């Protein structure tokens, strides 16, 4: 077994990636050739008949016919019946390599028997929920504390969105300050205060339909890597009551779609200390995926609070939680008689025996079998293979990875800069091309996240990666020539 502790085996050159992103956006897009795209669309019409029927009916009862933001909608969503290890099967019997990984929680691979069997046992004994304390709550909290020592105390919640809300509320209650600063482009769930500068930096309230302006008055954003802008915000806030917290995705917004410099988190930590703001790490994706110690272990930076999701319930429901310094966390239990105002959180199904046991067994197993490292090694192999294909075909595309989190940038919709005079035109065009790329990969038997992000798991053996690379090669070799 390797001695590697973290899944990131090399640090991609951030400035080089930023330069490649700029170049990609400056060039005319290179979508899949029209004749080939038609063939890919025919795949859906002829081979995915049951998916088409059922998801068309779903659209009558479910808005858009699909309830997962990461699900593929073009040309229509697939109806998935079976998941096992590296693969998914749709209702028409087609098999796919799964690089969506449900958005990230299944580092062990899908439907991992070692966790599932324990959960079935637990369900037989006490069902999914009682509303009372269960021993797996303690076991999970202790396990997280062992791997992520900054988490002196842990409170489990229903989702990453809830956990971000709770972390921000805790920071405000503890510091008595209001402002919260995030990095532009980052997604921290869909709570009122966090739908700000999502996906593309600088877009502020663009996606905040249905959210009163007042809810976002105390949320601010700065461009990824722009530490001078963060300092300026903190200085301004200092004259207006101060900032409660800075919240970051430690690899950069949208799982490093906009990658940050390696010393970014350390610098943010220093600025937080200088201005008395708490540092919140959103480790919803990176927690246990980057290594058992999370991104904070990799960077050796200690946040005040950490937000968990996804892996924290091992792919089972109720995947969320916040943890950190005992003095801040204790306020979740404060209240009448304690002399301090309580940070109120709740959730009928939060910290259920099901969620707690699933998290406990999954994380225990991930450590035992070295899952984050194996998933990271699969990511390295996939990235290397894709880079070779891109180079051989002389395409302006680029690919990089942080262990098991990969970005295959062919259209770059999230990389368009707001200052670009043709911003909207480019975004709409590139979004469409991204949908097509995703559909083409799917027709070649590969499920991706939005046609550009790939999560690998421990189940991605060399054989799986080879099969995937052959599929990617077929799609990429059918992209239009440079104009
Ligand atoms: C970095 C990050 N934070 C928060 C969330 C929200 O988590 P959830 O979907 O569990 O609400 C996500 C979801 O993808 C995420 O990627």
């Amino acid at each position: 077994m390797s001695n590697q502790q973290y899944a990131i085996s090399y640090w991609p050159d951030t400035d080089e990636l930023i330069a490649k992103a700029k170049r990609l956006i400056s060039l005319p897009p290179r979508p899949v050739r029209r004749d080939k795209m038609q063939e890919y669309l025919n795949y859906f019409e002829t081979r995915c008949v049951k998916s088409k029927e059922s998801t068309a009916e779903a659209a009558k009862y479910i808005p858009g016919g699909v309830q997962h933001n990461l699900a593929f909608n073009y040309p229509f969503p697939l109806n998935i019946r079976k998941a096992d290890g590296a693969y998914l099967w749709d209702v028409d019997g087609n098999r796919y390599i799964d690089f969506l990984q449900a958005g990230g929680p299944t580092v062990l691979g899908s439907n991992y028997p070692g966790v599932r069997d324990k959960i079935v046992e637990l369900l037989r004994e006490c069902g999914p929920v009682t509303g009372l304390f269960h021993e797996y709550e303690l076991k999970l909290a202790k396990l997280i504390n062992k791997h992520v020592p900054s988490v002196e105390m842990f409170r489990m919640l229903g989702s990453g969105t809830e956990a971000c809300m709770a972390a921000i509320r805790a920071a405000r209650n503890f510091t008595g300050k209001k402002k919260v600063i995030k990095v532009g482009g980052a997604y921290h769930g869909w709570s009122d205060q966090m739908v700000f500068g999502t996906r593309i930096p600088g877009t502020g309230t663009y996606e905040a339909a249905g959210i009163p302006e007042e809810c976002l008055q105390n949320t601010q954003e700065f461009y990824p890597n722009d530490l001078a802008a963060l300092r300026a915000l903190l200085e301004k806030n200092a004259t207006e009551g101060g900032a409660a917290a800075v919240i970051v995705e430690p690899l950069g917004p949208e799982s490093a779609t906009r990658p940050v410099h390696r010393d970014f988190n350390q610098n943010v930590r220093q600025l937080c200390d200088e201005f008395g703001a708490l540092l919140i790490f959103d480790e919803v994706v990176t927690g246990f995926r980057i290594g058992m110690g999370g991104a904070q272990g990799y960077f050796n930076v200690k946040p005040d609070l950490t937000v968990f999701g996804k892996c924290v319930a091992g792919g089972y429901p109720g995947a969320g939680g916040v943890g950190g310094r005992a003095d801040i966390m204790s306020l979740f239990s404060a209240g009448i008689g304690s002399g301090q105002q309580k940070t109120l959180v709740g959730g009928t199904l939060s910290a259920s025996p099901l969620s707690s046991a699933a998290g406990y067994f999954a994380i225990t197993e991930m450590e035992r079998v070295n899952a984050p490292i194996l998933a990271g090694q699969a990511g390295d192999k996939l990235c290397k293979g894709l880079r070779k294909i891109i180079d051989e075909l002389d395409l302006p595309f680029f690919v990089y990875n942080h262990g098991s989190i990969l970005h295959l940038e062919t259209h770059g919709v999230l990389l368009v800069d707001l200052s670009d005079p043709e911003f909207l035109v480019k975004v709409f065009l590139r979004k469409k091309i991204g949908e097509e790329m995703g559909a083409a990969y799917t027709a070649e038997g590969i499920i991706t996240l939005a046609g550009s992000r790939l999560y690998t798991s421990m189940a991605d053996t060399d054989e799986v990666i080879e099969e995937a690379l052959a599929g990617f090669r077929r799609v990429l070799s059918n992209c239009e020539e440079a104009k």
Side-chain angles (χ1 to χ4, degrees):
M1 201 176 269
S2 116
N3 290 327
Q4 201 182 326
Q5 246 195 315
Y6 285 92
I8 303 174
S9 63
Y10 74 104
W11 184 256
D13 182 333
T14 309
D15 289 328
E16 192 184 318
L17 294 179
I18 294 170
K20 283 184 174 168
K22 275 199 180 130
R23 177 163 179 268
L24 180 69
I25 296 303
S26 71
L27 294 170
R30 304 266 300 267
V32 174
R33 280 197 337 257
R34 294 304 81 187
D35 57 327
K36 195 65 199 172
M37 197 59 223
Q38 196 49 54
E39 270 180 42
Y40 284 137
L41 292 176
N42 289 345
Y43 164 87
F44 289 89
E45 290 300 326
T46 55
R47 300 272 305 274
C48 306
V49 177
K50 289 184 192 160
S51 273
K52 188 174 182 182
E53 271 170 23
S54 54
T55 56
E57 192 186 359
K60 291 188 204 151
Y61 302 96
I62 295 168
V66 64
Q67 317 204 51
H68 305 106
N69 291 345
L70 304 178
F72 244 93
N73 298 337
Y74 182 75
F76 49 80
L78 290 180
N79 178 341
I80 298 296
R81 187 177 52 83
K82 181 177 155 184
D84 186 13
Y87 298 109
L88 300 172
W89 285 262
D90 66 19
V91 280
D92 292 281
N94 303 302
R95 192 197 73 172
Y96 303 92
I97 297 174
D98 173 19
F99 291 132
L100 172 60
Q101 288 286 308
T106 50
V107 181
L108 290 161
S110 280
N111 203 3
Y112 186 76
V115 176
R116 185 185 62 222
D117 295 348
K118 301 271 190 203
I119 293 303
V120 170
E121 236 174 77
L122 173 104
L123 289 176
R124 284 215 176 90
E125 190 173 54
C126 83
V129 66
T130 64
L132 297 174
F133 180 77
H134 192 283
E135 64 173 331
Y136 282 111
E137 292 174 50
L138 171 61
K139 285 186 175 210
L140 178 62
K142 278 174 78 173
L143 189 62
I144 294 174
N145 168 263
K146 178 182 116 179
H147 291 301
V148 190
S150 78
V151 177
E152 293 165 2
M153 300 182 105
F154 175 71
R155 170 85 199 219
M156 201 170 195
L157 293 158
S159 65
T161 298
E162 286 180 29
C164 287
M165 283 166 62
I168 290 167
R169 188 171 297 173
R172 286 178 168 151
N173 189 16
F174 184 78
T175 60
K177 300 171 185 173
K178 278 191 202 161
K179 302 282 185 208
V180 171
I181 306 175
K182 72 182 286 276
V183 184
Y187 178 67
H188 299 292
W190 50 276
S191 70
D192 280 358
Q193 63 200 337
M194 280 290 103
V195 183
F196 190 81
T198 47
R199 294 176 219 269
I200 295 185
T203 46
T205 57
Y206 185 75
E207 291 204 281
I211 303 175
E213 272 168 40
E214 297 86 321
C215 296
L216 292 151
Q217 259 170 9
N218 294 304
T219 309
Q220 302 168 326
E221 61 170 317
F222 66 102
Y223 266 66
N225 290 311
D226 192 347
L227 292 162
L230 174 59
R231 173 177 283 284
L233 277 175
L234 287 163
E235 277 170 357
K236 184 167 175 288
N237 291 337
T239 63
E240 297 168 7
V246 178
I247 181 167
V248 298
E249 282 184 72
L251 289 177
E254 285 281 355
S255 294
T257 298
R258 301 251 177 177
V260 291
H261 291 120
R262 192 166 179 171
D263 59 359
F264 174 76
N265 295 292
Q266 187 62 53
N267 287 321
V268 175
R269 172 75 273 178
Q270 277 167 12
L271 282 169
C272 284
D273 290 343
E274 190 180 330
F275 288 89
L278 300 186
L279 174 60
I280 304 174
F281 265 17
D282 179 342
E283 295 233 36
V284 167
V285 172
T286 51
F288 308 106
R289 176 170 278 281
I290 286 309
M292 300 312 293
Q296 56 195 274
Y298 175 75
F299 290 112
N300 196 21
V301 173
K302 194 172 170 190
D304 300 293
L305 291 171
T306 301
V307 174
F308 295 93
K310 305 195 191 268
C311 286
V312 85
Y316 283 78
V322 57
R325 276 168 46 187
D327 53 348
I328 308 167
M329 292 299 297
S330 299
L331 295 185
F332 283 116
S333 68
I336 298 168
S338 72
Q340 269 182 297
Q341 282 279 96
K342 178 172 170 150
T343 308
L344 184 68
V345 290
T348 306
L349 293 181
S350 291
S352 70
L354 171 65
S355 315
S356 308
Y360 174 76
F361 287 120
I363 295 169
T364 304
E365 190 64 3
M366 282 165 72
E367 181 188 15
R368 189 183 73 80
V369 299
N370 217 14
I373 307 306
L374 296 177
Q377 287 169 351
D380 282 349
K381 281 177 203 146
L382 184 58
C383 187
K384 216 168 140 193
L386 285 168
R387 192 169 292 136
K388 189 160 170 268
I389 296 170
I390 290 169
D391 288 349
E392 279 172 16
L393 297 172
D394 196 21
L395 291 162
F397 306 158
F398 64 104
V399 59
Y400 59 100
N401 72 315
H402 296 96
S404 56
I405 307 170
L406 274 86
H407 296 269
L408 171 56
E409 291 293 358
T410 59
H411 53 89
V413 61
L414 294 185
L415 303 175
V416 183
D417 204 281
L418 192 60
S419 63
D420 191 321
E422 289 181 81
F423 175 75
L424 278 181
V425 179
K426 282 191 177 171
V427 165
F428 286 117
L429 175 65
R430 285 167 188 272
K431 181 169 179 290
K432 177 79 195 132
I433 295 171
E435 283 171 355
E436 287 190 355
M437 292 305 288
Y441 298 144
T442 304
E444 291 286 2
I446 304 163
I447 305 278
T448 60
L449 194 165
S452 61
R453 197 182 312 167
L454 317 166
Y455 293 116
T456 51
S457 82
M458 182 183 89
D460 294 324
T461 58
D462 288 357
E463 216 184 345
V464 174
I465 299 297
E466 284 309 315
E467 187 189 332
L469 286 171
F472 279 119
R473 182 182 282 278
R474 285 191 290 275
V475 175
L476 296 175
S477 58
N478 279 305
C479 286
E480 281 178 6
E481 296 292 317
K483 288 193 181 116

